[in-house]
Each structure stands twice: as structure tokens, then as C-alpha cells.
Amino acid sequence: MEMTEKVPVAILGATGMVGQKFVELLIGHPWLEITFLGASERSSGKRYGDVVNWQMSTPLPREVANKIVKECQPSEGYKIAFSGLDSSVAGEIEHAFANAGIAIISNSKNHRMVPNVPLLIPEVNPDHLDLIKRQTYTNDGCIVTNPNCSVVGLAMALKPLSDMWTVKQVDVATMQALSGAGYPGVPSMEVIDNVIPYISDEENKVETEPKKILGALNNGSIDFLAMNIRAHCNRVSVIDGHTECVTVELEGNPTKDEIIESWRSYKSVPQELLLPSAPEHPIVYFDEDAYPQPRKHRNLGRGMTVSVGRLRQCTDGAWKFVVLSHNTVRGAAGGAILNAELLIKKGCI
Amino acid sequence: MEMTEKVPVAILGATGMVGQKFVELLIGHPWLEITFLGASERSSGKRYGDVVNWQMSTPLPREVANKIVKECQPSEGYKIAFSGLDSSVAGEIEHAFANAGIAIISNSKNHRMVPNVPLLIPEVNPDHLDLIKRQTYTNDGCIVTNPNCSVVGLAMALKPLSDMWTVKQVDVATMQALSGAGYPGVPSMEVIDNVIPYISDEENKVETEPKKILGALNNGSIDFLAMNIRAHCNRVSVIDGHTECVTVELEGNPTKDEIIESWRSYKSVPQELLLPSAPEHPIVYFDEDAYPQPRKHRNLGRGMTVSVGRLRQCTDGAWKFVVLSHNTVRGAAGGAILNAELLIKKGCI
Amino acid sequence: MEMTEKVPVAILGATGMVGQKFVELLIGHPWLEITFLGASERSSGKRYGDVVNWQMSTPLPREVANKIVKECQPSEGYKIAFSGLDSSVAGEIEHAFANAGIAIISNSKNHRMVPNVPLLIPEVNPDHLDLIKRQTYTNDGCIVTNPNCSVVGLAMALKPLSDMWTVKQVDVATMQALSGAGYPGVPSMEVIDNVIPYISDEENKVETEPKKILGALNNGSIDFLAMNIRAHCNRVSVIDGHTECVTVELEGNPTKDEIIESWRSYKSVPQELLLPSAPEHPIVYFDEDAYPQPRKHRNLGRGMTVSVGRLRQCTDGAWKFVVLSHNTVRGAAGGAILNAELLIKKGCI
Amino acid sequence: MEMTEKVPVAILGATGMVGQKFVELLIGHPWLEITFLGASERSSGKRYGDVVNWQMSTPLPREVANKIVKECQPSEGYKIAFSGLDSSVAGEIEHAFANAGIAIISNSKNHRMVPNVPLLIPEVNPDHLDLIKRQTYTNDGCIVTNPNCSVVGLAMALKPLSDMWTVKQVDVATMQALSGAGYPGVPSMEVIDNVIPYISDEENKVETEPKKILGALNNGSIDFLAMNIRAHCNRVSVIDGHTECVTVELEGNPTKDEIIESWRSYKSVPQELLLPSAPEHPIVYFDEDAYPQPRKHRNLGRGMTVSVGRLRQCTDGAWKFVVLSHNTVRGAAGGAILNAELLIKKGCI
């Protein structure tokens, strides 16, 4: 494909934390161009720079600051809309956009588990994109979702294992970053010198979404992977980057070297298609004892690489390791943009 | 027992973090009185106040500051010595003191797994104290140890479950406080906005010590409990208080209410004997979604109560919960002092 | 005075951060007893335990948790009401209570600078209490205020200097704790790995309140102290305890030892009257290079002692030092309770 | 100047924090190329990747990791050496290199206040570079220093003011980042939930270095600027970026707009010469109430832009503002590299 001119895109929920990350990542994107910033009625009609509480660490570019925010209603001028909407409103709005012939690339949880909606990680299950053919929206209208931010790193680390051996049981304990809670999110009084061992509605997602993601597309529907997942989700005093302690029971007797090699050699469709947001290495494995760590490794591959380390075997044969991924890039806006790139490259739009 | 006068005690490794906590907790203790402060040769002969880098949040009392630090060699004037020595030197020094007829109450790892050394939590396995009869030190010389700081909370939470049902499998992921690493310990650059998913030699302790603690005393030796433990140990940005996410597989089909009741009703020997450091409630269970938390609950029972919360059942029948305990009080100095109180009350000294 | 029975008191704004601290400090108070918990209409009629988001590090006692919260309207049964109300409503409500014959001990800013309202620190200006005679409320109704949390430490540190020499110029930069912003207060995303160099409406208070506090009562009104104050106020990643860097120009050529001695020897009316909340030492001076520090010293004197350190002279003759005080104890609820104790002891109630 | 090939450079103290930042910034530098990594005898002869405890957030490139570290003795192959040496050894080693005909670009404090050594900020006092003509080292051997990390931002913010009005008095309180203390630096126990109001030997530098930097070159020597500076230096829980609260007394009655315009319009020699490390805007002024902040603005201009905000006038006419600069980039390695670029462009090497 030759991109002769940029594809105009909309951002829904543009003033929220995920929306801001969409803006940051789309500035200078080689294929995509922001043409519409949608937010709540309260912000509508005002300059983006006047209504956004900009939390990114790069400055907000003037051209985006000057754009007028609009309500989240479908309009002309774009065929792709990224949704960082809150789940309380995402369901209906995303339907409306898809019904208007727009491809919704959603970060919200609402449609993730709907049978004919792809829960997509381009490196893991690009074939699941076929599910949109089962959707009945107008023209090119469709809904494609990316997983919960604490699921992406886990699913990507499990994929090479699942390809080569059988994953039976997964125990995971997360230590999740504050940016995942949005803004204002977690009060500072709650996390300085503290851990919060609870994130509302999170463990359920970690225990179910990977089964769909790693499932097999079979006659137009997904056969969930038959593995058992048990999750603990915690909030810790980290700005960006979810760290996860994982124990897996594998059938097939792999060696330590084989597992590490399965991660290090993993490449997939986004790397082959040279999608702009695809990292050269989807998965990096560290030999250092105390790696990966969120502050040091979350930005690998511009936030799109998943870091893995500390593989060791338990006396009962199970394997333990640590996974780290950037929750607002790979786990949210960056993952959604990679999804859009796949749709474009595959000619779905 | 009537305590007509206080029992003089020594502190070995008195300038370290655990040593300082021993000092803090023993000031004003109703039964015990500091008579000897032992440290390395470098500090020997100097005022304690001049060589200690005092990190406690209560001021160092003048009478202790003025005491002269001595080398860690046995001397007259006390029958009990608390050891907060580094494991690189604890082994030999503790032997020497025991050989001199002194009861060593040790926080060091060196002798914990020795068959005839009690690995003691007075609420859990007070009968294991009998093991000291199998020791061959002079007179009342003996070695009694308390567990690793990340083991205590776990073992105490498992005890009521183990009493009523069969614990088969334990998966635990810890989020451990910085004070557990001593001083200077973890550089600040490593933990601000970060997690370190590794603590040297820690997972091995978590996976083995509970089996001895929860084991049965049988003809003068311990039959380890036959359960499988898999541990991940992490360092997080918390000053005091280890938080642990635990998943257990129990045989016996308990209900949620039965498990909670087993924790809430748990009382043991220290409570019956009214030992001075014994908390009224060894285990507190919280109904709140997001409790326990280190900053809010580590000081319950003056740091000696273990907090538990978030009990919920997995689809496969296993139970998940969260445990919190104060790592330098219940998990180190406070636990050792409670051990000493038990020895005294039992007439072992 | 013999306290034969406890004085019943009300807490207005009982569910807020300052209100919670009032509750925590009044539990077990030897003279005072909570009889009324006032909050907004939304909480009225409900159990305190059900509506408060308890943030204190000691558990909420059951007897308080079971009290029914009421609206903030004057009622029978108490002659003293502590106000931790938000300034948006404190003005009117406090007037209403004073008009009903109740002594309002307020932590709110609304009436602080009113000429006949004492801005009271019992160690500094106990004579200012006479101002209430100029108030025209019914019976014993009156309003007494305590200063802004960042002013108390500064004013207390300046008092001995002002007694002995002339304070001409004060430059102060504060590093203030998060608890001062209430709850939820500062979002965690804003303070992890960050400093916020701004606190709304704070510098103005620091630059004016000390002039009234250190002013002289003269024929029933206060002559403000003629000193110039310039303030920078910052929010830093600390839970409790405001640290302040102070530079003062003094007339009178004191020596370093004289200044330190003026702090160390300072005692005042609360110490003489043995008020229950009075610390033995209102001001502690540290010789250590790097003291005072919030985590280590905020709780001195149960949070009522002001810590000072690092006195050194500039080449131009000015003096630099560091002040630390506990912002929610000495700087808010504890200070207000000490005010109430002074009123009671002085027979004003 | 046409750079036909890259200039080889040495890094002395290459394994320390400043040395690592030199490495990070020099990778991919358009003019400069690392050819020599010097460190202590202990590291000498080993791979850099094996001896460095890499703390940067970008990965260490393999080509640098494989370089063999050498002792800090002058050798052939480079004419420029960057020094991030500890001050305990920097004095002699830097002399030795300069005597060997090498231009030492030093970040160490040792020679900063020596009369014929430029204390250089290319945007502020590029003419001071002439001082090296007064140095008597062999051939092109010379020593050029950059200021203390907490001085750079202050000096740059004062420069436009000093150009247009007269700066009489400066009061500054710093809140400095942890990276400034090197590695391991500040123990985590000391800064979580804490502030350290002391940095050894720092206030003295802040009170003297700006007078030399802003001084006038006069017949080959510097006339120090006659201003009085009073400094408080504090360590806070921030990874990178020093924040400073500044109060200045200016003669000349500027308006607020004039001061802001003096900052915003400031450009200097590095911008004119298009030096590779020169930021487009040396100084950025923010209109937002609570800006600048370290986490949000330290990376502006790739860490080389100084951020200023919160300009407001005191009742006595003095001006208050906030300055932020990246302490290891603009305040250390980046500043030194900009110095080297100036030397090269000016033909000094």
C-alpha cells in the first residue's frame, strides 16, 4: 500500500487520559491525521486547549490546542474513530458511529466480549479481524476493540507459549500504574507509602479476556482457549507501566532456553507488514535478575514492546516469570492505533 | 508469674535496622531491660548515639544513646540476647552465645531450618519450643528463631485454615516494604515511580519456612506440612508493611463465612498467657473492598496484628485473599520479643 | 480547675479530613467528649461510619462510627463546637452557632482576619483571647480561630525571636504535605516524581496571618507586627508535615547560641497551665545537619511540637533555618483543641 | 564549519551517573563520537556493560557496552575529554589531561572558581571562554567547567533580568531531584514520604557561582556581579529536575510583561550558531498557575530548556518566580556537551 495522503481520524473522549494519549501518539503519525475531537457536551464548542487538563509529558501542539471540541455524534470527514470513552457512555456512542459507517477502534470494555467483535492484538490474533464480517453495521462501519491494559502484556507473553505448548493454568498478580485509573484517578493520600490491593472490576477482565484473545477462529466464531486464570490486581505508586508476576503450568515439558527463545524470536503480522506503530521486537526477554522494571523498560519500542524476565521453574514444574507493558501505550492508545493500522493495511477501510 | 524485676537482655547487631527496632520496642517494656548493645568492632567502645544512624520515627532516648556499644562476644549480666545480626556473621556469633549459656532469640536466617531449632511464631506453633530440649548448648543456652518477614503474615493467615481444612497449594505474590532491605538498602532512584520484581534469596524462604512452621511436632522433630508453595517477591515504594496476594487450594469445602470466622475467632497461647507484646487480636479480617493497606493497617495491635481481607473464591474453587503484616515489628523485632516473652513465661530461662 | 466531668463538644464538618482528625484526637481526651457530629445535608441522618471515608491511621472506634450525623445547625447539649468546615460554608454556619451562644473553635479561614476575632496560638498570643470580649454574640457565644496550617510553625518559630530582637524581614518557602489539601485532594498523577509549585490562596495567608498573631493587643485591638513577609508555597510528596525554609533579618545582633537558646527555653501559658494537648516542649531545636524532616519529626510531642534546625548566618547577617510542624495536628485540629483547652481553663466557657 | 567527520571524545568517570548521561547523550551525536571510557582502576580492563550499573531509561547500546573501560590517564586518539569525575579525584586528573594537550570539559566542582577557568553557560557568558587563553596548559589543553546543577537554571533565568535591570538581591529555595546525588545516592527510606532539608556543600555553590557566571569579562578576568544571594537547598522525592523558588529585588522598575518578554525573547550564541545541543528556546515562560513542574517540563528542548513560571510581585516591590531545569541534562552532561560544541565551533580545538 502506498499512503499518498493521510487518513483523517476522530478521537472520541479526547479530553480523558486515554484520549490525550491518542492525541500525543497521533501527532506526527505517518498515516493518520486528527480531524475530529469529540468529548462531552460540557466541552463542546470550546478550544481543546481550554478544556483539556493536559497530563502528557510532551507539550500539547498548538494546532491541536486550537481545534474546537465537538459532541460525540457521527459526522462527515473521517472513516475511523478511536474511542477512549468511559464505559458508562461508550456502548451507545460506539454503536451510533458504527451504524454511521465508521470503523470504531475502541479502548472501552463495552463490546470486548461480544462474540462478533474482535478483541484484537495484531501480534497475537490478527486473524480475529475477520469477525467484523459478521457485524451488520452500514458500509465499512465496524467495532474493533483492544484488551484491558493489564491483559495485553499477559496475552502477548502467553502467545508464544500457547503456540508451542499447552497452557493449562495461569496465576497472575498485577502491580498496576496510576495512569490506568484516569484523571484525577487515585488520590495521592492513597498511594504514597501505600499499596491498594484492589481495582474495581479488573480481575474479572484478566481472568476472561485472554481466553478469547488466545482462542481459535473457527467458522466465524472464537473457540476460547481452555485455560484457567486466577488474578490479583493491585495499584502501586508507579506513573506508567503495569508489572505482572505470572505462574504458568505448561504441558509439553519445555526447557528454560526453549521458552526464552520462543519469546525472543517472536515476530508476527505487524512486523511483517511494517505497520508504523509495530515495535521491531514485540517481546524482549531480560537476563538480569531484577528486570524488567516499569521506570526503566516501559518505553521500549516507544512503549509498544512487552518486556519479560525472571523465568524460573518451580519444584512442581510450573514456570514463573515477570511481564511489563506500558499501560497507556501498548495497553490502550498505542494498541488501538496499531489495530487501526492493521485495518488499513488489510484494506478493511 | 510475677515479674518482680526486669530481665536484662542484650541486643546483637544493635545499630542495624532490626537492632534499632529492638531498641525502640524494648524501651519501656514491662519485663525486659536493655543491658548490652553489641555491634561490629568498628562501633565498639563508642556511645550508641554516636554510631547509630537512627531511623525510627520515635526519638532515641538519652539513656540508650549514652550506652557504650561493645563487640558481639558473650559476657555476664544477661541470659537473653536478641540477634539482628547480618547473616554473614550471625551463624558463628549466635553459636558462641548459646554455648555461653545464653538464650539467643534470633531474627537471622542462619539457623531457621536446622531441625532442632524452633522456627517460632507463638500464636502458631508454641509447642515447637520443645525443640530446644534437643539442643546441646550449655545450661540454658539455646537458639530460637523467628521467620523471614514475608513469611510471618502468610503463616499466621494459613494457620486457622490449616487447623480446620487441608491446605494443598499456595500461590503468593508479595509487595514488600523498603525497611525490609535494611539501611541504606534500596537506592531511592530504584523505587520512585518503580517496582523491583526481585528480592535476593527471598522466594526460597517463602516457599519453605511455612512448611516447617505449620508442621507437626512428632517425637521431638518436625514433620513438615505437605503443601506446595509458589512465590513471587517484589519490592515496592512503601516504608513499612508487607502486602501479599495469596491463592490457596483447600480440601474440605469451607464456606466464605467459615473461613472468615476462622480468622476472626483465632486466639492462641500468647493471648491466653497475656504476653505483653501479644495483640488482643492476632488476625483482623476486613470487609472493605480495598483493605488491608500498609499505611493504614500496619500498626494495628502495635504492629503485631496481621490484617487479612478480600477473601473471594475462584471459579476453580480456590480462595484468594490479601495479607498484610508489619515487617519490622511482627516480621522481625516484635516477633522475636514475643518469642522471648514465651520463653520466660514457659520457664525456659 | 477540677474537671469533674467531661465537656460535651460538637464537630462541624466531621467527615472531612480536618473533621476526622478532630475525631481521632478527641477520642480519649481527658476533658472533652464528642456529642455532636455535623456534616452536610447529604450525610445527615446516617451513621458516621457509613458516610465517612476514614483516612486516619488509627481505626475508627465503634462508638463514634455508630453516631448519627446531623446537619450543621445549632442545638442543645454542647457549649463548644470545633469547625473544620470548608470556607465556602464556614462563614455563615459559624456565625449561626456563635449567635446561639456556642463557642466556635474554628480551623476555617473565614473569620481569621476579622479585628475582634482572636487568631490564636496558645503558646504565642494567649492574651489575644481577650478579643472575644469585643464580640457581640449571645451569652458565651464567640469565635476563636487558629491559623493556616503553614503559618503555625512559622509563627511559633518567630515568636521567641520577636520577643528578644526585632524581626524585620522574613522570606519563607514551604514544602507542604498532601493531607493539607483534604480528600481526595491532589491526584496521585500530580505528585509522584513531581513537585507542584503552587497552592491556591496560600501565600497570601502566610504573608499576613503572622503579623496579626505576633501583633500586640492594645486597648482591645491588635497592632500588627511591622515585618515584611515574602512566601513561596509548594506541594510535595509527603503525607503529613509542612517543612519551611526561612530567612529572617533580625535587628539586635543575636549570636547563634542566643537564638537557639531562645527556642530551646521557650515555654508559655499552655505549659504552665498543663493543658492536656500542650507539648512539654513547644519548640525543639536539632543540631543534626539534615534535621528536621517530616517523616521523622512530625509526631514529636504527639504532633504538637514544632521542630527547628539548620540555623546558619548569611554573609549579609540574615539568619536561615528550617521549621517543621504537623499540619493536621498542630496546624489544624490539634491547635484548635489546644485553643479550646485554653478557653476552658481561662473560664471563658 | 563543516563537520566532515566526527570528533573523537573521552568520558572520564564513565560509570557514574553523570558519566552514564554523557554516554546516553553522545550516542548519535552529530559531531562527537565516544572513543575512550575512563573509570577507576577497579573497572579498568573490563567491558563497560559489565561494570556499569546502567540507570538511564534508554537501553545501553551494544557498541558502547562492549567497549573496554580504561584508567583515567591521558592517551592518544582524542582532543576533548568530558569529566564526570568525583571531586575527590577530579582535580588532579583533570590537570593531567589538560597538561597532555586535551581540552577538559568538566562537570566537577574543583576548578569552577579558579580565576582563569571559564564557568560556562553558552547562552549566558560565551565570551568567558576567552579565559582559556590565560591558561598555560600544553597546546590546546584547557579546562572549561559548567556550573553546579542547581545553579544553571537560576543563572539562566537571571541573565535576561541582569541584562536589562540591576539584580540586587536573590533569595532562592531549591527542591532538588534525587539523580543529583549520584548512585546509590539517597537511600529510599530517607525520601519516601519525606523531605531532606540539606544538601552537603550545595548552598555555598548557589550563593557564589552565579556571581561569576553573570560577571563581566574585563581585561582577561571576571568582575563578579555585585548581587547578594541567600540559598536553601532541599532534596525531594523527584527523579530528575530541580525546581527553585526565587525572589529577586530588581532596580529599574520593570513591569511584569517586560520581565516575561525578556525571558521569552531570549536567544543567544548557541541558537545563532545552531549548536546541535542548543534548544530552540533557552527559556520558556508558562502562564499556567501551577507550572513549571519537574515531571511535566524537565524534558523540554530535550532537557536543555529552562522553564520559568509564576512571576508575581511582592508588596515590597520584589519579584517572585519559579525556575525548573533538568539537573543531569542542562545541569550536567548536556551543559558540558553544549560547552564542547561551542569550543569546536569557535575553533578552540
Side-chain angles (χ1 to χ4, degrees), chain B residues 17 53 55 178-180 182-193 237-240 295 298, chain D residues 17 53 55 178-180 182-193 237-240 295 298:
Chain B
M17 287 295 275
N53 183 348
Q55 293 294 318
L178 298 161
S179 59
Y183 190 91
V186 183
S188 53
M189 297 281 296
E190 300 281 13
V191 296
I192 307 290
D193 186 16
S237 193
V238 167
I239 294 286
D240 288 314
R295 195 169 70 75
R298 60 192 170 204
Chain D
M17 287 295 276
N53 183 349
Q55 293 294 318
L178 298 162
S179 59
Y183 190 89
V186 183
S188 53
M189 297 280 297
E190 301 281 12
V191 296
I192 306 292
D193 186 18
S237 193
V238 167
I239 294 286
D240 288 313
R295 194 168 70 78
R298 60 193 171 204

Side-chain angles (χ1 to χ4, degrees), chain D residues 33-53:
Chain D
E33 187 173 40
I34 303 169
T35 194
F36 179 98
L37 295 169
S40 67
E41 198 182 347
R42 184 165 37 87
S43 301
S44 175
K46 298 177 183 155
R47 283 177 70 253
Y48 184 67
D50 290 338
V51 294
V52 72
N53 183 349

Side-chain angles (χ1 to χ4, degrees), chain C residues 319-338:
Chain C
W319 293 93
K320 296 187 287 189
F321 57 89
V322 174
V323 178
L324 170 78
S325 63
H326 195 301
N327 56 301
T328 65
V329 182
R330 173 55 90 166
I337 292 171
L338 189 63

Side-chain angles (χ1 to χ4, degrees), chain A residues 48-185:
Chain A
Y48 184 66
D50 291 337
V51 294
V52 72
N53 183 349
W54 187 252
Q55 293 294 318
M56 304 296 105
S57 59
T58 51
L60 173 61
R62 186 166 312 191
E63 66 269 25
V64 181
N66 282 334
K67 271 198 191 303
I68 300 301
V69 174
K70 303 195 178 152
E71 278 193 72
C72 288
Q73 291 167 351
S75 55
E76 297 293 312
Y78 49 88
K79 287 306 209 179
I80 295 177
F82 292 104
S83 166
L85 291 166
D86 188 81
S87 61
S88 61
V89 298
E92 283 191 38
I93 294 177
E94 292 178 6
H95 265 311
F97 273 73
N99 274 325
I102 294 161
I104 280 281
I105 315 293
S106 173
N107 185 61
S108 298
K109 71 176 182 185
N110 306 60
H111 302 103
R112 281 183 196 147
M113 300 305 288
V114 174
N116 63 9
V117 171
L119 182 50
L120 194 66
I121 303 176
E123 279 91 346
V124 174
N125 59 351
D127 56 318
H128 289 201
L129 189 51
D130 265 6
L131 285 179
I132 62 174
K133 296 177 186 164
R134 304 266 165 161
Q135 297 181 6
T136 56
Y137 297 112
T138 313
N139 301 328
D140 288 340
C142 66
I143 296 181
V144 171
T145 63
N146 55 305
N148 175 274
C149 55
S150 57
V151 169
V152 181
L154 178 63
M156 286 182 68
L158 291 177
K159 171 63 175 170
L161 311 187
S162 171
D163 280 354
M164 301 192 62
W165 306 284
T166 303
V167 180
K168 300 297 290 180
Q169 168 76 30
V170 178
D171 279 89
V172 56
T174 71
M175 294 172 284
Q176 299 184 218
L178 299 161
S179 59
Y183 190 91

Side-chain angles (χ1 to χ4, degrees), chain D residues 86-302:
Chain D
D86 188 80
S87 60
S88 61
V89 298
E92 284 191 39
I93 294 177
E94 292 178 6
H95 265 311
F97 274 72
N99 274 326
I102 293 161
I104 280 280
I105 314 293
S106 173
N107 185 61
S108 299
K109 70 176 182 184
N110 305 61
H111 302 104
R112 281 184 197 145
M113 300 307 287
V114 173
N116 62 10
V117 171
L119 183 50
L120 195 67
I121 303 175
E123 278 91 346
V124 173
N125 59 351
D127 55 318
H128 288 201
L129 189 50
D130 265 4
L131 285 178
I132 60 174
K133 296 177 186 164
R134 304 267 164 161
Q135 297 180 8
T136 56
Y137 297 113
T138 313
N139 300 328
D140 289 342
C142 66
I143 296 181
V144 172
T145 63
N146 55 305
N148 175 274
C149 55
S150 59
V151 169
V152 180
L154 178 62
M156 286 183 66
L158 290 177
K159 172 63 176 170
L161 310 186
S162 171
D163 280 353
M164 301 193 62
W165 306 284
T166 303
V167 179
K168 300 297 290 179
Q169 168 76 29
V170 178
D171 280 90
V172 57
T174 71
M175 293 172 285
Q176 299 184 218
L178 298 162
S179 59
Y183 190 89
V186 183
S188 53
M189 297 280 297
E190 301 281 12
V191 296
I192 306 292
D193 186 18
N194 206 16
V195 163
I196 307 176
Y198 174 69
I199 301 175
S200 175
D201 196 28
E202 192 85 353
E203 292 169 353
N204 173 51
K205 294 171 193 165
V206 178
E207 293 176 348
T208 56
E209 293 185 8
K211 298 178 190 176
K212 178 173 181 180
I213 297 166
L214 295 175
L217 183 69
N218 195 352
N219 279 326
S221 72
I222 308 291
D223 293 341
F224 279 28
L225 188 67
M227 63 179 167
N228 186 41
I229 308 179
R230 304 186 298 205
H232 290 265
C233 291
N234 303 283
R235 190 75 70 189
V236 295
S237 193
V238 167
I239 294 286
D240 288 313
H242 289 355
T243 309
E244 312 189 3
C245 296
V246 186
T247 307
V248 293
E249 297 176 10
L250 294 177
E251 283 185 1
N253 286 319
T255 65
K256 182 175 175 181
D257 286 347
E258 286 169 347
I259 295 175
I260 293 173
E261 181 57 21
S262 79
W263 283 321
R264 287 190 166 152
S265 63
Y266 194 77
K267 299 235 171 177
S268 183
V269 168
Q271 284 71 39
E272 292 158 16
L273 297 180
L274 299 173
L275 300 183
S277 299
E280 184 185 347
H281 302 284
I283 301 172
V284 164
Y285 181 83
F286 285 91
D287 293 315
E288 286 86 347
D289 273 348
Y291 283 4
Q293 296 176 10
R295 194 168 70 78
K296 295 183 183 167
H297 306 119
R298 60 193 171 204
N299 289 322
L300 287 183
R302 284 160 302 134

Side-chain angles (χ1 to χ4, degrees), chain A residues 23-38:
Chain A
V23 169
E24 186 183 45
L25 294 178
L26 288 172
I27 292 164
H29 192 283
W31 292 3
L32 307 172
E33 187 173 39
I34 303 169
T35 195
F36 179 97
L37 295 169

Side-chain angles (χ1 to χ4, degrees), chain B residues 207-267:
Chain B
E207 293 176 348
T208 56
E209 294 184 7
K211 298 179 191 175
K212 178 173 181 180
I213 297 167
L214 296 174
L217 183 68
N218 195 351
N219 279 325
S221 72
I222 307 292
D223 293 340
F224 280 29
L225 188 65
M227 64 181 167
N228 186 42
I229 308 179
R230 305 187 297 202
H232 290 266
C233 291
N234 302 283
R235 190 76 68 188
V236 295
S237 193
V238 167
I239 294 286
D240 288 314
H242 289 355
T243 309
E244 311 190 3
C245 296
V246 185
T247 307
V248 292
E249 297 176 10
L250 295 177
E251 283 186 0
N253 286 318
T255 66
K256 182 174 176 182
D257 285 347
E258 286 170 346
I259 295 175
I260 293 174
E261 180 58 21
S262 79
W263 284 321
R264 287 193 166 150
S265 63
Y266 195 76
K267 300 235 172 177

